[in-house]
Amino acid sequence: MPSMVWLAADSMMSLSQERLQPLAGRSVVLFPDEGRGFKEWSERIVPIAREVGFRYSISDFMERVAPNTGGDIADLVAELR
């Protein structure tokens, strides 16, 4: 998908204002890990997006497609290759 910029956060704690500063002014779709990632990212992103200045949505894709796996979107992409 060349029209998109893909960025891995590395870990839940890496979702920070400092690291996400380059996203200012962009529209961002977060794909958190299945499980606790969705809830935790939903809470963490609100003040960060406000301070940095980007629009966001949070996908529940992993919750729907791979429930109870603890996996992430990279796991699914790897399976498709």
Side-chain angles (χ1 to χ4, degrees):
M1 295 181 196
S3 64
M4 297 182 169
V5 176
W6 290 82
L7 172 72
D10 185 42
S11 72
M12 212 166 298
M13 296 313 296
S14 295
L15 195 66
S16 68
Q17 183 176 340
E18 180 182 346
R19 293 190 107 192
L20 298 180
Q21 194 65 44
L23 301 177
R26 293 185 174 264
S27 290
V28 176
V29 179
L30 299 169
F31 290 90
D33 296 357
E34 187 279 327
R36 69 179 197 167
F38 184 83
K39 181 180 185 303
E40 290 188 28
W41 280 28
S42 296
E43 295 168 357
R44 287 181 62 93
I45 197 64
V46 175
I48 295 170
R50 186 180 319 117
E51 289 296 319
V52 172
F54 61 83
R55 294 171 307 284
Y56 70 91
S57 61
I58 303 173
S59 174
D60 65 350
F61 179 79
M62 290 303 296
E63 303 297 315
R64 291 182 287 111
V65 174
N68 304 314
T69 64
D72 62 28
I73 198 162
D75 295 330
L76 293 181
V77 170
E79 287 179 22
L80 295 174
R81 296 183 104 205

